[in-house]
Amino acid sequence: MKKKISVIIVMALSMCLAVFGAACGDQTPVTDRMDVQQLWKDATGMEEYPQACLVVNGEFASAHASFVADFSAALKEHDTWAESHPEETVAAIGSHMEGDTQSTVKSLTSDIVKRCHINAVDALEDREAVEEYLGLFLEFEKELDTSLIGGKLPDDGFYYGQLTGGSAPESVDIYVPDGATALALAYFMHSGEKVSGAQLNIHVVTATSIGSFVANGTADLAVMPSNAAANMYNRSGKYKLVMTLTHGNLYIVGGEMSGADSLVGKRVGAIGQGQVPDLVLRYILKRKGIDYVLSDTAAEGKVAISYYSDGASVARALKAGLIDFGLLAEPAASTVYDLVNTKPDA
């Protein structure tokens, strides 16, 4: 069943797919979708990978410990609100965008929200999963010769324990990147509900700018990628991990799949070279003993990974038969799947 998608997006992407496909040949059949979180479980034995998290400014936490505890409890209570209120969520995120930037969350369904794996878990409770996940970035720091988490796993101080005490703040500034990571706070954006008497000022900003609001101390609380949070902590120690929020929203779309072995000998188009989607895939392949090559051309016995700037580019490549599979994050994964899907009954 077709998902409700913005008319403008549908028309623009469909035109691009038609023109590009006609010029380049047969399209790749898109009939299946594989959850990368399941691949992670198969490769590591861990149930989930904590892709995004909530962090708190250490000075703010010391002054308002009880508020942080109360907000964490409220977030747990409402973290899946978006699942049953997809349309309200789209509107809420759009109304909280900062500046002139337009939200990338144009439409949602309950199924798409479910596939984002939103679940608020306290930092200390989720530490084992966090360290397994951060370990992949530590491993790739040497291979890529770049700082991904600051050269080491964060120490005990990174994991914030729920405390009490301190004064009640009048207002709190919370910064959240646009996209799936904003879904966990959708209830508060929609309702305007206060927590312990504090007004929640939720600022939805671009994913590329979230780090600046944490680095300069503007954010009292912030949602950000877990690896970025670890990197920030290792550099300054200023922000601590309060909770993990989204546990893997990456999917592979394409032809029939039954596990990581299905990718061998095939071409996978990925977003985010050297970033979370790319490194999670490569780490899974390494843990499974599957060789890969960074190439546009299929390689026997290996997975060929090539890179694209965004979901629309992956869709065009699938439509044109340039790749066999596409690696995407939700909600882009569902948008591409629905637009390119070639099931007989579609």
Side-chain angles (χ1 to χ4, degrees):
M1 179 178 179
K2 299 296 182 183
K3 308 294 188 293
K4 183 179 179 183
I5 302 173
S6 167
V7 173
I8 294 176
I9 294 177
V10 172
M11 291 179 64
L13 273 176
S14 297
M15 289 175 66
C16 288
L17 297 177
V19 172
F20 204 81
C24 298
D26 295 335
Q27 70 183 63
T28 297
V30 176
T31 58
D32 205 355
R33 170 172 34 208
M34 185 160 59
D35 190 344
V36 174
Q37 182 169 252
Q38 183 59 51
L39 298 183
W40 176 269
K41 181 178 179 180
D42 293 342
T44 68
M46 302 295 293
E47 288 291 329
E48 59 191 27
Y49 56 100
Q51 193 169 330
C53 64
L54 177 73
V55 297
V56 63
N57 185 303
E59 294 180 0
F60 178 88
S62 295
H64 310 293
S66 289
F67 166 80
V68 177
D70 291 344
F71 179 69
S72 297
L75 188 52
K76 286 181 183 179
E77 182 180 353
H78 301 295
D79 59 353
T80 59
W81 180 85
E83 198 173 294
S84 54
H85 302 83
E87 293 185 3
E88 293 94 330
T89 295
V90 172
I93 292 173
S95 68
H96 282 74
M97 291 294 296
E98 294 284 291
D100 297 328
T101 306
Q102 298 297 309
S103 175
T104 60
V105 183
K106 300 295 185 183
S107 69
L108 289 173
T109 66
S110 294
D111 286 340
I112 290 176
V113 178
K114 287 178 183 178
R115 287 194 286 269
C116 291
H117 300 303
I118 298 168
N119 181 29
V121 183
D122 287 336
L124 292 174
E125 182 182 342
D126 217 21
R127 180 169 180 169
E128 183 180 3
V130 171
E131 291 189 337
E132 174 71 36
Y133 180 66
L134 295 179
L136 83 87
F137 297 96
L138 189 60
E139 181 174 326
F140 277 107
E141 280 194 336
K142 299 176 182 177
E143 182 175 324
L144 301 179
D145 191 27
T146 187
S147 177
L148 296 173
I149 62 167
K152 62 181 180 179
L153 292 177
D155 59 27
D156 293 349
F158 179 56
Y159 300 90
Y160 180 79
Q162 299 296 343
L163 305 173
T164 58
S167 61
E170 292 184 5
S171 64
V172 181
D173 285 303
I174 305 173
Y175 283 80
V176 184
D178 181 33
T181 47
L183 302 182
L185 274 72
Y187 170 79
F188 300 101
M189 293 186 224
H190 172 77
S191 68
E193 183 176 299
K194 293 183 178 181
V195 174
S196 298
Q199 176 68 45
L200 306 182
N201 302 319
I202 302 177
H203 312 266
V204 182
V205 299
T206 61
T208 54
S209 67
I210 188 68
S212 64
F213 295 103
V214 175
N216 64 22
T218 301
D220 297 319
L221 292 135
V223 175
M224 64 191 309
S226 300
N227 58 299
N231 201 6
M232 194 74 68
Y233 175 81
N234 278 336
R235 283 189 288 166
S236 69
K238 185 181 293 186
Y239 282 79
K240 300 176 181 292
L241 176 67
V242 178
M243 315 178 82
T244 55
L245 294 179
T246 60
H247 300 265
N249 67 330
L250 298 174
Y251 288 81
I252 297 173
V253 298
E256 185 176 348
M257 292 170 271
S258 58
D261 291 338
S262 304
L263 308 178
V264 176
K266 304 295 185 180
R267 302 160 299 171
V268 179
I271 56 171
Q273 183 172 10
Q275 299 175 24
V276 170
D278 173 34
L279 298 184
V280 167
L281 174 62
R282 289 206 250 171
Y283 187 72
I284 289 170
L285 295 176
K286 291 177 76 170
R287 289 292 295 264
K288 294 286 288 184
I290 298 173
D291 292 332
Y292 63 84
V293 60
L294 307 184
S295 172
D296 296 326
T297 306
E300 185 177 355
K302 299 180 180 181
V303 179
I305 305 173
S306 56
Y307 299 102
Y308 295 85
S309 60
D310 52 35
S313 300
V314 172
R316 290 194 293 270
L318 282 167
K319 192 74 173 179
L322 299 177
I323 55 177
D324 303 296
F325 301 102
L327 172 65
L328 297 154
E330 286 288 17
S334 288
T335 300
V336 170
Y337 180 79
D338 291 338
L339 286 175
V340 191
N341 188 285
T342 51
K343 287 183 179 181
D345 59 347

